[in-house]
């Protein structure tokens, strides 16, 4: 029996690529390989120099055809290729895991990661150069929540809520050995009247009055509960964010969300009103200049 399909039959398999599509894919592959050739040759030259040094031969004219150099370059290239493939598979597996979790818990993943990275000045999540991944978003009755992994010099799991304000920078980090040492060496620190809070948190800011306005008793009580263990807090611009070391911990997204929403809700009304958002129409340079001002020292 013939398996030929008529004009009106439904397709039974994957769509075959056209000749033009195959040609474009082939051209793209050739261009990719061609772009890698100079890097491969440069790497091989470096390997040849290293092999010559190990074998006690002159380094001014290494033998690129040395069998040991060729074999070493081949092994390194194969190892790099395997690492790239394994990394890509791991990333795909992670994306599927995040997407599955989002569906099960009422979040969505169609979030513009470009608006999440490099939006703050405060370390360790500021100063530029980072990327955002594993982005999640959910609309709560108390505000829109976003969770993502920020990868810069270190990776941080961040959960943030926005408010209609442009507040100065305020950073709270757990008071540990490194923080205590930094404070003793002159690192900026703001103290409040509650000694237990001072013992648990290190507070840094460019505007001391802003810090004292935000850290009222109800906020300090919220930050003393067990679900804030290991978290850091950032209030900068329109954002109230909590973050922890490492990539996104899906098991902790919901608890971090509650902390971020609670802190945003506890911001005094006068604090929000006294720091209105930036006016629309500013250039990127003007926005960056305003962001830098958030961490300027307060003149007393």
């Amino acid at each position: 029996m013939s398996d030929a399909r008529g004009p009106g039959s439904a397709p039974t398999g994957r769509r075959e690529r056209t000749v033009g599509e195959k040609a474009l894919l082939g051209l793209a592959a050739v261009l990719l390989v061609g772009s890698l050739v100079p890097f491969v040759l440069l790497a091989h030259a470096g390997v040849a120099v290293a092999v010559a040094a190990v074998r006690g031969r002159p380094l001014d004219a290494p033998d690129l055809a040395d069998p040991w150099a060729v074999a070493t370059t081949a092994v390194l290239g194969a190892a790099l290729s395997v690492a790239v493939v394994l990394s890509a598979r791991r990333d795909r597996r992670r994306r599927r895991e995040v997407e599955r979790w989002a569906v099960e818990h009422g979040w969505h993943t169609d979030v513009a990661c470009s608006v999440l990275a490099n939006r703050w000045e405060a370390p360790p999540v500021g100063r530029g150069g980072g990327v955002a991944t594993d982005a999640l978003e959910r609309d709560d009755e108390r505000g829109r929540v976003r969770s993502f992994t920020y990868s810069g010099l270190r990776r941080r799991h961040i959960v943030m809520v926005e408010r209609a304000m442009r507040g100065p920078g305020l950073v709270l980090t757990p008071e540990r050995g490194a923080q205590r040492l930094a404070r003793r060496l002159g690192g900026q620190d703001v103290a409040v009247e509650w000694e237990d809070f001072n013992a648990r948190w290190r507070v840094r800011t460019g505007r001391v009055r802003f810090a004292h306005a935000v850290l009222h008793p109800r906020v300090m009580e919220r930050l003393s509960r067990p679900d804030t263990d290991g978290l850091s807090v950032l209030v900068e611009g329109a954002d109230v964010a909590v973050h922890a070391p490492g990539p996104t911990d899906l098991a902790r997204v919901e608890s971090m969300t509650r902390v971020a929403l609670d802190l945003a809700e506890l911001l005094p009304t006068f604090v929000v009103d006294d720091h209105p958002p930036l006016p629309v129409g500013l250039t990127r340079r003007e926005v960056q200049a305003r962001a830098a001002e958030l961490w300027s020292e307060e003149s007393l």
Side-chain angles (χ1 to χ4, degrees):
M1 182 176 180
S2 173
D3 61 353
R5 295 195 301 267
S9 59
T12 59
R14 186 174 57 185
R15 182 181 68 86
E16 292 292 332
R17 293 191 178 97
T18 65
V19 175
E21 290 173 335
K22 292 179 179 179
L24 287 176
L25 289 174
L27 178 61
V30 170
L31 291 176
L32 177 61
V33 172
S35 65
L36 292 177
V37 168
F39 297 100
V40 173
L41 293 178
L42 183 61
H44 179 59
V47 169
V49 170
V51 169
V54 170
R55 302 180 70 181
R57 295 181 177 179
L59 303 182
D60 54 347
D63 183 7
L64 298 181
D66 187 309
W68 284 100
V70 173
T72 302
T73 300
V75 170
L76 292 177
L80 180 60
S81 299
V82 171
V84 169
V85 170
L86 292 178
S87 177
R89 288 183 176 179
R90 184 174 62 250
D91 290 343
R92 286 196 298 270
R93 200 161 49 238
R94 174 63 174 176
R95 283 195 296 272
R96 288 194 296 268
E97 179 185 5
V98 171
E99 290 169 355
R100 183 167 55 250
W101 185 94
V103 170
E104 293 172 353
H105 293 81
W107 294 68
H108 62 86
T109 57
D110 52 336
V111 185
C113 291
S114 59
V115 303
L116 300 177
N118 305 320
R119 62 189 290 136
W120 300 302
E121 289 289 317
V125 294
R127 312 305 182 189
V131 296
T133 56
D134 299 337
L136 298 162
E137 187 173 273
R138 188 185 76 189
D139 285 326
D140 185 89
E141 60 182 8
R142 296 189 287 170
R144 176 168 295 177
V145 190
R146 290 168 176 164
S147 169
F148 60 98
T149 298
Y150 176 85
S151 300
L153 294 177
R154 302 171 187 171
R155 290 198 294 179
R156 308 286 298 184
H157 177 196
I158 301 176
V159 176
M160 55 166 282
V161 184
E162 291 185 69
R163 284 293 181 261
M165 60 180 291
R166 189 68 180 177
L170 172 64
V171 169
L172 290 86
T173 51
E175 185 72 276
R176 294 174 180 153
Q179 284 75 22
R180 291 192 186 97
L181 177 61
R183 181 155 52 89
R184 290 172 183 172
L185 294 176
Q188 185 181 4
D189 197 73
V190 176
V192 297
E193 296 181 357
W194 189 2
E195 288 302 323
D196 289 343
F197 186 86
N198 292 332
R200 184 174 181 181
W201 295 97
R202 182 185 180 204
V203 182
R204 287 169 291 168
T205 182
R207 305 291 170 88
V208 176
R209 281 195 285 268
F210 178 76
H212 284 294
V214 171
L215 297 176
H216 58 80
R218 291 181 63 197
V219 168
M220 290 190 287
E221 186 278 328
R222 183 65 184 88
L223 289 172
S224 299
R225 298 181 194 175
D227 60 358
T228 62
D229 290 345
L231 295 181
S232 298
V233 179
L234 169 66
V235 180
E236 183 178 317
D239 304 326
V240 178
V242 296
H243 53 95
T248 292
D249 182 355
L250 295 174
R252 204 176 183 186
V253 169
E254 297 288 3
S255 65
M256 291 175 66
T257 294
R258 287 191 292 272
V259 176
L261 285 169
D262 288 348
L263 293 178
E265 190 174 41
L266 288 170
L267 283 177
T269 302
F270 76 88
V271 169
V272 177
D273 293 341
D274 288 348
H275 299 86
L278 287 175
V280 298
L282 293 180
T283 65
R284 179 177 297 181
R285 181 173 298 178
E286 289 171 330
V287 171
Q288 291 173 341
R290 298 288 185 91
E293 290 175 1
L294 297 177
W295 284 99
S296 62
E297 292 291 339
E298 183 179 25
S299 56
L300 300 178

